[in-house]
Amino acid sequence: QVQLVESGGGLVQAGESLRLSCAASGSIFSFNDMGWYRQAPGKQRELVATITSGGSTNYADSVKGRFTISRDNAKNTVYLQMNSLKPEDTAVYYCNAKVVIIQRTYWGQGTQVTVSS
């Protein structure tokens, strides 16, 4: 059974940094795109950043220049380095991983990030 386990969330002040990690396991197939999404209270889940197995990245405009996504394919782990955090970054952050060959998308349980002003 595929599992995505996130870690690294917490409470920080505006301007500070956090690093999220997500370790994926249980798949006999390689993970293709991996990424991070977030959902703030009362809002829909939105894309934060994605990264392909080859390292190509995509970011939401709201985080460009502040967040960096990376991955370690050998460890099936994706990271999100978040710098210059703002109160509007407060949300539950979810890890996402896709296995294209079987058309499956997997989600982590979410980790809370709270940024105080």
Side-chain angles (χ1 to χ4, degrees), residues 16-74:
E16 294 185 339
S17 300
L18 278 176
R19 188 189 193 216
L20 305 183
S21 299
C22 172
S25 62
S27 175
I28 62 172
F29 301 105
S30 297
F31 294 100
N32 301 108
D33 291 3
M34 299 183 76
W36 293 92
Y37 290 69
R38 67 187 181 186
Q39 188 166 17
K43 295 187 176 181
Q44 290 189 333
R45 192 173 297 187
E46 63 176 5
L47 179 146
V48 176
T50 61
I51 185 167
T52 68
S53 56
S56 296
T57 58
N58 178 52
Y59 294 93
D61 288 343
S62 59
V63 307
K64 282 181 181 177
R66 300 187 297 123
F67 291 10
T68 302
I69 189 170
S70 61
R71 68 188 282 175
D72 183 333
N73 289 330

Short mmCIF file of all heavy atoms in Angstrom, two decimals, residues 16-74:
data_model
loop_
_atom_site.label_atom_id
_atom_site.label_comp_id
_atom_site.label_asym_id
_atom_site.label_seq_id
_atom_site.Cartn_x
_atom_site.Cartn_y
_atom_site.Cartn_z
N GLU A 16 10.29 34.05 8.55
CA GLU A 16 11.10 32.88 8.88
C GLU A 16 10.94 31.79 7.82
O GLU A 16 10.23 31.95 6.83
CB GLU A 16 10.72 32.37 10.26
CG GLU A 16 11.08 33.35 11.37
CD GLU A 16 10.82 32.81 12.77
OE1 GLU A 16 10.00 31.87 12.90
OE2 GLU A 16 11.43 33.32 13.72
N SER A 17 11.63 30.67 8.05
CA SER A 17 11.66 29.58 7.07
C SER A 17 11.21 28.27 7.69
O SER A 17 11.30 28.07 8.91
CB SER A 17 13.08 29.41 6.52
OG SER A 17 13.53 30.59 5.87
N LEU A 18 10.74 27.39 6.84
CA LEU A 18 10.42 26.01 7.20
C LEU A 18 10.79 25.11 6.03
O LEU A 18 10.76 25.56 4.87
CB LEU A 18 8.93 25.83 7.50
CG LEU A 18 8.39 26.20 8.88
CD1 LEU A 18 6.87 26.04 8.88
CD2 LEU A 18 9.02 25.36 9.96
N ARG A 19 11.08 23.86 6.36
CA ARG A 19 11.35 22.87 5.30
C ARG A 19 10.43 21.68 5.53
O ARG A 19 10.48 21.03 6.58
CB ARG A 19 12.80 22.42 5.33
CG ARG A 19 13.19 21.53 4.15
CD ARG A 19 14.56 20.95 4.33
NE ARG A 19 15.09 20.36 3.11
CZ ARG A 19 15.84 19.26 3.09
NH1 ARG A 19 16.15 18.65 4.21
NH2 ARG A 19 16.31 18.80 1.94
N LEU A 20 9.60 21.40 4.53
CA LEU A 20 8.73 20.25 4.57
C LEU A 20 9.38 19.08 3.84
O LEU A 20 10.07 19.26 2.85
CB LEU A 20 7.39 20.56 3.92
CG LEU A 20 6.62 21.77 4.46
CD1 LEU A 20 5.27 21.89 3.73
CD2 LEU A 20 6.42 21.68 5.94
N SER A 21 9.11 17.88 4.34
CA SER A 21 9.58 16.65 3.70
C SER A 21 8.41 15.71 3.52
O SER A 21 7.47 15.71 4.31
CB SER A 21 10.65 15.96 4.55
OG SER A 21 11.77 16.78 4.74
N CYS A 22 8.47 14.90 2.47
CA CYS A 22 7.44 13.90 2.22
C CYS A 22 8.13 12.65 1.68
O CYS A 22 8.72 12.68 0.60
CB CYS A 22 6.42 14.42 1.23
SG CYS A 22 5.24 13.17 0.67
N ALA A 23 8.02 11.57 2.44
CA ALA A 23 8.61 10.30 2.03
C ALA A 23 7.52 9.38 1.51
O ALA A 23 6.53 9.11 2.22
CB ALA A 23 9.33 9.66 3.21
N ALA A 24 7.67 8.92 0.29
CA ALA A 24 6.70 8.02 -0.34
C ALA A 24 7.24 6.60 -0.32
O ALA A 24 8.42 6.36 -0.53
CB ALA A 24 6.43 8.46 -1.78
N SER A 25 6.34 5.66 -0.10
CA SER A 25 6.75 4.26 -0.04
C SER A 25 5.61 3.37 -0.50
O SER A 25 4.46 3.79 -0.57
CB SER A 25 7.18 3.88 1.38
OG SER A 25 6.09 4.02 2.27
N GLY A 26 5.95 2.11 -0.78
CA GLY A 26 4.94 1.11 -1.04
C GLY A 26 4.56 0.89 -2.50
O GLY A 26 3.72 0.05 -2.80
N SER A 27 5.17 1.66 -3.41
CA SER A 27 4.82 1.49 -4.82
C SER A 27 5.87 0.63 -5.54
O SER A 27 7.06 0.83 -5.34
CB SER A 27 4.73 2.85 -5.51
OG SER A 27 4.51 2.69 -6.91
N ILE A 28 5.40 -0.29 -6.38
CA ILE A 28 6.34 -1.07 -7.16
C ILE A 28 6.73 -0.33 -8.43
O ILE A 28 7.65 -0.74 -9.14
CB ILE A 28 5.76 -2.46 -7.51
CG1 ILE A 28 4.50 -2.32 -8.38
CG2 ILE A 28 5.47 -3.25 -6.25
CD1 ILE A 28 4.00 -3.66 -8.92
N PHE A 29 6.03 0.77 -8.72
CA PHE A 29 6.34 1.61 -9.86
C PHE A 29 7.00 2.89 -9.39
O PHE A 29 6.81 3.32 -8.26
CB PHE A 29 5.07 1.96 -10.64
CG PHE A 29 4.31 0.77 -11.14
CD1 PHE A 29 3.13 0.36 -10.54
CD2 PHE A 29 4.78 0.06 -12.24
CE1 PHE A 29 2.44 -0.74 -11.01
CE2 PHE A 29 4.10 -1.04 -12.72
CZ PHE A 29 2.92 -1.45 -12.09
N SER A 30 7.75 3.50 -10.26
CA SER A 30 8.40 4.77 -9.92
C SER A 30 7.36 5.88 -9.87
O SER A 30 6.40 5.89 -10.64
CB SER A 30 9.46 5.11 -10.97
OG SER A 30 10.49 4.15 -10.98
N PHE A 31 7.58 6.81 -8.97
CA PHE A 31 6.72 7.98 -8.90
C PHE A 31 7.14 8.97 -9.97
O PHE A 31 8.32 9.23 -10.16
CB PHE A 31 6.81 8.63 -7.52
CG PHE A 31 6.26 7.77 -6.43
CD1 PHE A 31 7.09 7.03 -5.61
CD2 PHE A 31 4.89 7.68 -6.22
CE1 PHE A 31 6.60 6.23 -4.61
CE2 PHE A 31 4.37 6.88 -5.23
CZ PHE A 31 5.23 6.14 -4.42
N ASN A 32 6.19 9.51 -10.69
CA ASN A 32 6.47 10.49 -11.72
C ASN A 32 6.45 11.89 -11.10
O ASN A 32 7.34 12.22 -10.32
CB ASN A 32 5.48 10.34 -12.86
CG ASN A 32 5.54 8.94 -13.45
OD1 ASN A 32 4.63 8.12 -13.27
ND2 ASN A 32 6.64 8.63 -14.14
N ASP A 33 5.45 12.70 -11.39
CA ASP A 33 5.38 14.01 -10.76
C ASP A 33 5.13 13.88 -9.26
O ASP A 33 4.31 13.06 -8.83
CB ASP A 33 4.25 14.85 -11.37
CG ASP A 33 4.56 15.25 -12.80
OD1 ASP A 33 5.61 14.83 -13.33
OD2 ASP A 33 3.73 15.98 -13.40
N MET A 34 5.82 14.70 -8.49
CA MET A 34 5.55 14.82 -7.07
C MET A 34 5.36 16.31 -6.79
O MET A 34 5.88 17.15 -7.52
CB MET A 34 6.68 14.25 -6.22
CG MET A 34 6.92 12.77 -6.46
SD MET A 34 8.20 12.05 -5.39
CE MET A 34 7.29 11.91 -3.83
N GLY A 35 4.63 16.60 -5.72
CA GLY A 35 4.41 18.02 -5.47
C GLY A 35 3.78 18.31 -4.14
O GLY A 35 3.55 17.41 -3.32
N TRP A 36 3.53 19.58 -3.96
CA TRP A 36 2.91 20.09 -2.74
C TRP A 36 1.70 20.94 -3.11
O TRP A 36 1.76 21.77 -4.04
CB TRP A 36 3.89 20.93 -1.94
CG TRP A 36 5.02 20.14 -1.37
CD1 TRP A 36 6.24 19.92 -1.93
CD2 TRP A 36 5.02 19.45 -0.12
NE1 TRP A 36 7.00 19.12 -1.11
CE2 TRP A 36 6.28 18.82 0.01
CE3 TRP A 36 4.09 19.29 0.90
CZ2 TRP A 36 6.62 18.06 1.13
CZ3 TRP A 36 4.43 18.54 2.01
CH2 TRP A 36 5.68 17.93 2.11
N TYR A 37 0.63 20.73 -2.36
CA TYR A 37 -0.57 21.54 -2.46
C TYR A 37 -0.88 22.06 -1.06
O TYR A 37 -0.35 21.55 -0.06
CB TYR A 37 -1.74 20.69 -2.97
CG TYR A 37 -1.61 20.28 -4.42
CD1 TYR A 37 -0.65 19.35 -4.82
CD2 TYR A 37 -2.44 20.82 -5.40
CE1 TYR A 37 -0.50 18.99 -6.15
CE2 TYR A 37 -2.31 20.45 -6.73
CZ TYR A 37 -1.35 19.53 -7.10
OH TYR A 37 -1.22 19.17 -8.41
N ARG A 38 -1.72 23.06 -0.99
CA ARG A 38 -2.11 23.57 0.33
C ARG A 38 -3.57 23.96 0.33
O ARG A 38 -4.15 24.29 -0.71
CB ARG A 38 -1.24 24.76 0.74
CG ARG A 38 -1.42 26.00 -0.10
CD ARG A 38 -0.39 27.06 0.29
NE ARG A 38 -0.54 28.30 -0.48
CZ ARG A 38 0.31 29.32 -0.42
NH1 ARG A 38 1.39 29.26 0.36
NH2 ARG A 38 0.09 30.41 -1.16
N GLN A 39 -4.14 23.94 1.53
CA GLN A 39 -5.54 24.32 1.70
C GLN A 39 -5.69 25.15 2.95
O GLN A 39 -5.42 24.67 4.05
CB GLN A 39 -6.44 23.09 1.77
CG GLN A 39 -7.92 23.42 1.76
CD GLN A 39 -8.78 22.21 1.50
OE1 GLN A 39 -8.34 21.07 1.63
NE2 GLN A 39 -10.02 22.44 1.09
N ALA A 40 -6.07 26.39 2.76
CA ALA A 40 -6.33 27.30 3.88
C ALA A 40 -7.79 27.16 4.29
O ALA A 40 -8.63 26.74 3.49
CB ALA A 40 -6.01 28.73 3.47
N PRO A 41 -8.11 27.54 5.53
CA PRO A 41 -9.51 27.44 5.99
C PRO A 41 -10.46 28.19 5.08
O PRO A 41 -10.22 29.35 4.74
CB PRO A 41 -9.45 28.06 7.39
CG PRO A 41 -8.05 27.86 7.83
CD PRO A 41 -7.22 28.00 6.59
N GLY A 42 -11.52 27.51 4.66
CA GLY A 42 -12.53 28.14 3.83
C GLY A 42 -12.15 28.30 2.37
O GLY A 42 -12.91 28.89 1.60
N LYS A 43 -11.00 27.75 1.99
CA LYS A 43 -10.56 27.88 0.60
C LYS A 43 -10.35 26.51 -0.02
O LYS A 43 -10.23 25.51 0.68
CB LYS A 43 -9.26 28.68 0.54
CG LYS A 43 -9.42 30.13 0.97
CD LYS A 43 -8.15 30.91 0.71
CE LYS A 43 -8.32 32.39 1.07
NZ LYS A 43 -7.09 33.16 0.79
N GLN A 44 -10.30 26.49 -1.34
CA GLN A 44 -10.04 25.24 -2.05
C GLN A 44 -8.55 24.90 -1.99
O GLN A 44 -7.70 25.77 -1.83
CB GLN A 44 -10.48 25.37 -3.51
CG GLN A 44 -11.98 25.45 -3.69
CD GLN A 44 -12.40 25.36 -5.15
OE1 GLN A 44 -11.63 25.74 -6.04
NE2 GLN A 44 -13.59 24.87 -5.40
N ARG A 45 -8.27 23.61 -2.15
CA ARG A 45 -6.88 23.18 -2.21
C ARG A 45 -6.25 23.74 -3.48
O ARG A 45 -6.85 23.72 -4.55
CB ARG A 45 -6.80 21.66 -2.21
CG ARG A 45 -5.42 21.10 -2.01
CD ARG A 45 -5.43 19.59 -1.84
NE ARG A 45 -6.19 19.19 -0.65
CZ ARG A 45 -6.23 17.92 -0.21
NH1 ARG A 45 -5.56 16.97 -0.85
NH2 ARG A 45 -6.94 17.62 0.86
N GLU A 46 -5.02 24.24 -3.33
CA GLU A 46 -4.34 24.84 -4.47
C GLU A 46 -2.94 24.30 -4.62
O GLU A 46 -2.30 23.89 -3.64
CB GLU A 46 -4.29 26.37 -4.32
CG GLU A 46 -3.50 26.85 -3.12
CD GLU A 46 -3.38 28.36 -3.05
OE1 GLU A 46 -4.00 29.05 -3.88
OE2 GLU A 46 -2.66 28.86 -2.17
N LEU A 47 -2.46 24.33 -5.86
CA LEU A 47 -1.11 23.89 -6.15
C LEU A 47 -0.10 24.87 -5.57
O LEU A 47 -0.28 26.09 -5.69
CB LEU A 47 -0.92 23.75 -7.66
CG LEU A 47 0.46 23.32 -8.16
CD1 LEU A 47 0.29 22.47 -9.42
CD2 LEU A 47 1.34 24.50 -8.46
N VAL A 48 0.96 24.33 -4.98
CA VAL A 48 2.07 25.16 -4.51
C VAL A 48 3.25 24.99 -5.46
O VAL A 48 3.77 25.96 -5.99
CB VAL A 48 2.47 24.80 -3.07
CG1 VAL A 48 3.70 25.61 -2.65
CG2 VAL A 48 1.31 25.01 -2.11
N ALA A 49 3.67 23.74 -5.64
CA ALA A 49 4.82 23.46 -6.51
C ALA A 49 4.81 21.99 -6.89
O ALA A 49 4.35 21.15 -6.11
CB ALA A 49 6.13 23.81 -5.82
N THR A 50 5.31 21.70 -8.09
CA THR A 50 5.47 20.32 -8.52
C THR A 50 6.85 20.13 -9.11
O THR A 50 7.51 21.10 -9.54
CB THR A 50 4.42 19.92 -9.57
OG1 THR A 50 4.57 20.76 -10.72
CG2 THR A 50 3.01 20.03 -9.02
N ILE A 51 7.29 18.87 -9.16
CA ILE A 51 8.58 18.54 -9.73
C ILE A 51 8.48 17.18 -10.42
O ILE A 51 7.89 16.24 -9.88
CB ILE A 51 9.69 18.54 -8.64
CG1 ILE A 51 11.06 18.31 -9.27
CG2 ILE A 51 9.40 17.55 -7.53
CD1 ILE A 51 12.22 18.61 -8.32
N THR A 52 9.01 17.09 -11.62
CA THR A 52 9.01 15.82 -12.35
C THR A 52 10.16 14.95 -11.88
O THR A 52 11.06 15.40 -11.17
CB THR A 52 9.13 16.07 -13.86
OG1 THR A 52 10.46 16.58 -14.12
CG2 THR A 52 8.09 17.06 -14.35
N SER A 53 10.15 13.70 -12.32
CA SER A 53 11.25 12.80 -11.95
C SER A 53 12.57 13.29 -12.54
O SER A 53 13.64 12.97 -12.01
CB SER A 53 10.95 11.38 -12.42
OG SER A 53 10.70 11.36 -13.81
N GLY A 54 12.49 14.07 -13.61
CA GLY A 54 13.69 14.62 -14.22
C GLY A 54 14.15 15.94 -13.62
O GLY A 54 15.20 16.46 -14.00
N GLY A 55 13.36 16.47 -12.69
CA GLY A 55 13.77 17.69 -11.99
C GLY A 55 13.16 18.98 -12.49
O GLY A 55 13.48 20.06 -11.98
N SER A 56 12.27 18.92 -13.48
CA SER A 56 11.60 20.14 -13.93
C SER A 56 10.58 20.58 -12.88
O SER A 56 9.85 19.74 -12.34
CB SER A 56 10.90 19.89 -15.26
OG SER A 56 11.84 19.59 -16.26
N THR A 57 10.53 21.87 -12.63
CA THR A 57 9.69 22.39 -11.56
C THR A 57 8.64 23.36 -12.07
O THR A 57 8.79 23.97 -13.14
CB THR A 57 10.54 23.10 -10.49
OG1 THR A 57 11.27 24.17 -11.12
CG2 THR A 57 11.52 22.14 -9.85
N ASN A 58 7.60 23.51 -11.26
CA ASN A 58 6.52 24.44 -11.56
C ASN A 58 6.04 25.02 -10.22
O ASN A 58 5.91 24.27 -9.24
CB ASN A 58 5.37 23.72 -12.26
CG ASN A 58 4.20 24.64 -12.56
OD1 ASN A 58 4.39 25.70 -13.14
ND2 ASN A 58 3.01 24.26 -12.14
N TYR A 59 5.82 26.34 -10.19
CA TYR A 59 5.44 27.00 -8.94
C TYR A 59 4.20 27.86 -9.13
O TYR A 59 4.00 28.45 -10.20
CB TYR A 59 6.56 27.91 -8.45
CG TYR A 59 7.82 27.20 -8.03
CD1 TYR A 59 8.86 27.02 -8.93
CD2 TYR A 59 7.97 26.70 -6.74
CE1 TYR A 59 10.02 26.36 -8.56
CE2 TYR A 59 9.13 26.06 -6.35
CZ TYR A 59 10.15 25.89 -7.27
OH TYR A 59 11.30 25.24 -6.90
N ALA A 60 3.42 27.96 -8.08
CA ALA A 60 2.36 28.96 -8.07
C ALA A 60 3.00 30.35 -8.03
O ALA A 60 4.06 30.53 -7.43
CB ALA A 60 1.48 28.77 -6.84
N ASP A 61 2.36 31.30 -8.68
CA ASP A 61 2.93 32.66 -8.71
C ASP A 61 3.15 33.21 -7.31
O ASP A 61 4.10 33.96 -7.08
CB ASP A 61 2.00 33.59 -9.50
CG ASP A 61 2.02 33.32 -11.00
OD1 ASP A 61 2.97 32.65 -11.47
OD2 ASP A 61 1.09 33.76 -11.69
N SER A 62 2.29 32.84 -6.39
CA SER A 62 2.35 33.41 -5.04
C SER A 62 3.58 32.97 -4.25
O SER A 62 3.91 33.59 -3.24
CB SER A 62 1.08 33.04 -4.27
OG SER A 62 0.95 31.63 -4.19
N VAL A 63 4.25 31.92 -4.70
CA VAL A 63 5.41 31.41 -3.95
C VAL A 63 6.71 31.50 -4.74
O VAL A 63 7.78 31.19 -4.19
CB VAL A 63 5.18 29.96 -3.47
CG1 VAL A 63 3.87 29.85 -2.71
CG2 VAL A 63 5.22 28.98 -4.63
N LYS A 64 6.64 31.90 -5.98
CA LYS A 64 7.86 32.00 -6.80
C LYS A 64 8.87 32.94 -6.14
O LYS A 64 8.52 34.02 -5.68
CB LYS A 64 7.51 32.51 -8.20
CG LYS A 64 6.90 31.47 -9.11
CD LYS A 64 6.61 32.04 -10.49
CE LYS A 64 5.97 31.00 -11.39
NZ LYS A 64 5.60 31.56 -12.71
N GLY A 65 10.10 32.48 -6.11
CA GLY A 65 11.17 33.27 -5.50
C GLY A 65 11.31 33.08 -4.01
O GLY A 65 12.30 33.53 -3.42
N ARG A 66 10.32 32.44 -3.38
CA ARG A 66 10.39 32.21 -1.93
C ARG A 66 10.48 30.72 -1.58
O ARG A 66 11.14 30.35 -0.61
CB ARG A 66 9.16 32.81 -1.24
CG ARG A 66 9.00 34.30 -1.43
CD ARG A 66 7.85 34.85 -0.57
NE ARG A 66 6.57 34.27 -0.93
CZ ARG A 66 5.78 33.63 -0.07
NH1 ARG A 66 6.16 33.45 1.19
NH2 ARG A 66 4.60 33.15 -0.47
N PHE A 67 9.79 29.89 -2.36
CA PHE A 67 9.77 28.45 -2.10
C PHE A 67 10.60 27.71 -3.15
O PHE A 67 10.66 28.12 -4.32
CB PHE A 67 8.34 27.92 -2.18
CG PHE A 67 7.43 28.37 -1.07
CD1 PHE A 67 7.79 29.37 -0.17
CD2 PHE A 67 6.18 27.78 -0.93
CE1 PHE A 67 6.94 29.78 0.83
CE2 PHE A 67 5.31 28.18 0.07
CZ PHE A 67 5.69 29.19 0.95
N THR A 68 11.21 26.61 -2.72
CA THR A 68 11.98 25.77 -3.63
C THR A 68 11.60 24.32 -3.40
O THR A 68 11.68 23.83 -2.27
CB THR A 68 13.48 25.95 -3.42
OG1 THR A 68 13.84 27.32 -3.61
CG2 THR A 68 14.26 25.08 -4.41
N ILE A 69 11.20 23.64 -4.47
CA ILE A 69 10.88 22.22 -4.39
C ILE A 69 12.06 21.42 -4.92
O ILE A 69 12.73 21.83 -5.88
CB ILE A 69 9.59 21.90 -5.17
CG1 ILE A 69 9.12 20.47 -4.90
CG2 ILE A 69 9.77 22.15 -6.67
CD1 ILE A 69 7.74 20.15 -5.44
N SER A 70 12.31 20.28 -4.28
CA SER A 70 13.38 19.39 -4.74
C SER A 70 12.98 17.96 -4.39
O SER A 70 12.03 17.74 -3.64
CB SER A 70 14.71 19.76 -4.08
OG SER A 70 14.63 19.64 -2.67
N ARG A 71 13.70 17.01 -4.94
CA ARG A 71 13.39 15.61 -4.65
C ARG A 71 14.65 14.77 -4.70
O ARG A 71 15.61 15.09 -5.39
CB ARG A 71 12.33 15.08 -5.62
CG ARG A 71 12.76 14.94 -7.04
CD ARG A 71 11.58 14.60 -7.95
NE ARG A 71 11.19 13.20 -7.87
CZ ARG A 71 10.14 12.68 -8.49
NH1 ARG A 71 9.34 13.46 -9.21
NH2 ARG A 71 9.86 11.38 -8.39
N ASP A 72 14.57 13.66 -3.96
CA ASP A 72 15.62 12.65 -3.98
C ASP A 72 14.97 11.38 -4.49
O ASP A 72 14.23 10.71 -3.76
CB ASP A 72 16.18 12.47 -2.56
CG ASP A 72 17.34 11.49 -2.51
OD1 ASP A 72 17.41 10.59 -3.38
OD2 ASP A 72 18.17 11.61 -1.60
N ASN A 73 15.20 11.07 -5.75
CA ASN A 73 14.52 9.92 -6.36
C ASN A 73 14.93 8.60 -5.70
O ASN A 73 14.11 7.68 -5.61
CB ASN A 73 14.82 9.86 -7.85
CG ASN A 73 14.14 10.97 -8.63
OD1 ASN A 73 13.08 11.44 -8.24
ND2 ASN A 73 14.74 11.40 -9.72
N ALA A 74 16.15 8.51 -5.25
CA ALA A 74 16.60 7.27 -4.60
C ALA A 74 15.84 7.01 -3.31
O ALA A 74 15.64 5.86 -2.91
CB ALA A 74 18.10 7.35 -4.33
#
